[in-house]
Amino acid sequence: MQIDDRITGRSKIAGIIGNPLEHSISPQLHNTLSRLLGNDLAYIPLRVEKNDLGNAVKGLIAVNAAGFNITIPYKQDIMKHLDVISEEALLYGAVNTVKNNGGKLYGYNTDADGFLRSFREEAGIGFENREVAVLGAGGAARAIAVKIALEKASRINIVNRTLSKASEIAEVINNKIRPAASIFSPEEFEKQNVISRCDIIVNTTSIGMYPDVGSSPVNRAYTFLQSQVVYDVIYNPVKTRLLKDAEGSGCKVVNGLGMLIYQGIYAYEIWTGLKVSESVVKELFKLLLEYWEHAIIREE
Ligand code: NDP
């Protein structure tokens, strides 16, 4: 046994504010990143009750934290506590990363950039001139759908059980970016066979997430076209029912672990000013994938 002196009295801290946090793997992600970079930033879970968000933020300023992440259910609520919010985060209506600069708080959203980098690298294509189906219209959907519009997709079909939520996202895209978004109820989406004209299908719903591993947001009678690329933001299980079905039809499929890792890397870069090299990215992917596959087995 040796003294663990990675964290000392000189170390800076960061963390993740949310509730619940038990299933977050952000602490493992960021602390591994610090170790790979030989940096002493310490990242901790910060479970905060609803009425304490403002106090928690003040506390983090008081201890001169480098910054923090925000997750469910505070990605919107945090915005009123910040001094400056990036243009993209305003468009997405959510902040997941805050940098503390001497008591002045800057808000960013790295989820969309994380999604985009993961999609581009793992699917090997981009969104320009592609027709896309975005399944779901919750928190993850808004940043993803708006990002896809910014990336010049020819059309974005947003499908959601609660149509008013799909409509809110479509309004942002159609009014603030380009009139490229359409909305569908799951029934209409299926009746009009919209999925068959889509080059890319992105699931942002929680359908298929552990323990609901037998369910898919796409009717299982549908046969995917081999040319379609299917992305699922879910990373537990590593391969959802949707991804298994699409893969069975020969499609390129990608899970949400890359999005999770890249949003974390971007946040880390914002706090520290460091640039995470490709070799560190690769090592982090390898370590987290191994870790995650084992963590899932342990949980099940
Ligand atoms: P929200 O609760 O904001 O949204 C959930 C979405 O799923 C809504 O569109 C909801 O529809 C839909 N949905 C849930 N259950 C059903 C159902 N039974 N039938 C039909 N639709 C359903 O969650 P988030 O957007 O924050 O997260 C969604 C998923 O994305 C989660 O699995 C989460 O783990 C994952 N995620 C992954 C990230 C990553 O980095 N890879 C980052 C963020 C999220 P309705 O609006 O009608 O309720």
Side-chain angles (χ1 to χ4, degrees):
M1 189 80 165
Q2 269 186 326
I3 289 292
D4 184 341
D5 64 354
R6 266 194 325 123
I7 307 303
T8 69
R10 285 183 299 275
S11 301
K12 282 257 188 176
I13 59 164
I16 180 164
I17 292 182
N19 194 0
L21 282 178
E22 285 76 5
H23 285 87
S24 171
I25 56 166
S26 290
Q28 292 94 316
L29 190 162
H30 286 282
N31 290 317
T32 305
L33 197 46
S34 280
R35 206 181 61 210
L36 288 171
L37 293 167
N39 192 21
D40 64 350
L41 183 78
Y43 188 101
I44 50 174
L46 299 158
R47 204 180 97 176
V48 171
E49 299 299 332
K50 194 159 183 57
N51 293 332
D52 282 333
L53 184 60
N55 288 334
V57 170
K58 280 189 199 139
L60 285 164
I61 293 174
V63 298
N64 197 24
F68 48 93
N69 283 130
I70 325 285
T71 189
I72 288 173
Y74 301 128
K75 286 187 184 183
Q76 283 86 33
D77 292 356
I78 191 67
M79 295 170 87
K80 59 176 174 287
H81 300 286
L82 307 178
D83 299 293
V84 182
I85 298 175
S86 77
E87 247 175 64
E88 282 207 6
L90 285 173
L91 211 49
Y92 306 141
V95 163
N96 79 323
T97 300
V98 174
K99 181 178 169 69
N100 173 28
N101 195 349
K104 199 166 173 186
L105 298 182
Y106 293 78
Y108 304 87
N109 186 312
T110 65
D111 283 334
D113 283 331
F115 162 75
L116 182 64
R117 183 158 165 196
S118 158
F119 183 86
R120 276 210 200 115
E121 287 185 4
E122 296 175 82
I125 60 167
F127 288 99
E128 195 166 342
N129 295 326
R130 313 262 186 189
E131 179 152 3
V132 184
V134 173
L135 314 179
R142 176 154 164 176
I144 286 173
V146 171
K147 190 68 175 185
I148 291 171
L150 291 170
E151 288 295 303
K152 305 192 178 76
S154 58
R155 180 135 299 273
I156 302 130
N157 303 293
I158 306 166
V159 190
N160 202 42
R161 174 178 69 174
T162 311
L163 204 55
S164 59
K165 282 162 74 181
S167 172
E168 278 171 30
I169 300 176
E171 256 174 49
V172 174
I173 294 173
N174 292 339
N175 297 338
K176 299 200 171 148
I177 305 171
R178 212 151 37 81
S182 309
I183 61 167
F184 297 90
S185 65
E187 296 74 25
E188 270 306 306
F189 183 72
E190 206 179 316
K191 200 167 133 204
Q192 296 183 31
N193 195 20
V194 180
I195 196 168
S196 291
R197 18 176 247 259
C198 294
D199 306 296
I200 299 166
I201 296 134
V202 181
N203 175 44
T204 72
T205 74
S206 43
I207 303 172
M209 187 169 76
Y210 179 80
D212 183 27
V213 294
S215 302
S216 169
V218 172
N219 187 333
R220 301 221 37 224
Y222 176 69
T223 307
F224 289 89
L225 310 171
Q226 204 183 339
S227 57
Q228 289 175 320
V229 173
V230 182
Y231 191 103
D232 200 328
V233 295
I234 295 172
Y235 47 85
N236 183 8
V238 171
K239 214 168 263 170
T240 54
R241 184 74 263 161
L242 169 70
L243 294 190
K244 284 181 182 162
D245 288 349
E247 197 173 49
S249 300
C251 300
K252 176 86 195 164
V253 302
V254 183
N255 72 18
L257 201 59
M259 172 177 172
L260 181 82
I261 295 175
Y262 280 129
Q263 65 74 30
I265 288 176
Y266 285 136
Y268 197 97
E269 289 180 340
I270 287 171
W271 299 324
T272 62
L274 296 171
K275 175 87 188 99
V276 179
S277 69
E278 278 304 317
S279 61
V280 169
V281 168
K282 263 201 190 130
E283 185 63 13
L284 186 65
F285 259 82
K286 189 175 136 276
L287 291 171
L288 261 176
L289 194 59
E290 277 168 18
Y291 173 81
W292 188 234
E293 278 170 347
H294 280 98
I296 286 177
I297 291 164
R298 249 186 284 134
E299 195 168 276
E300 287 173 3

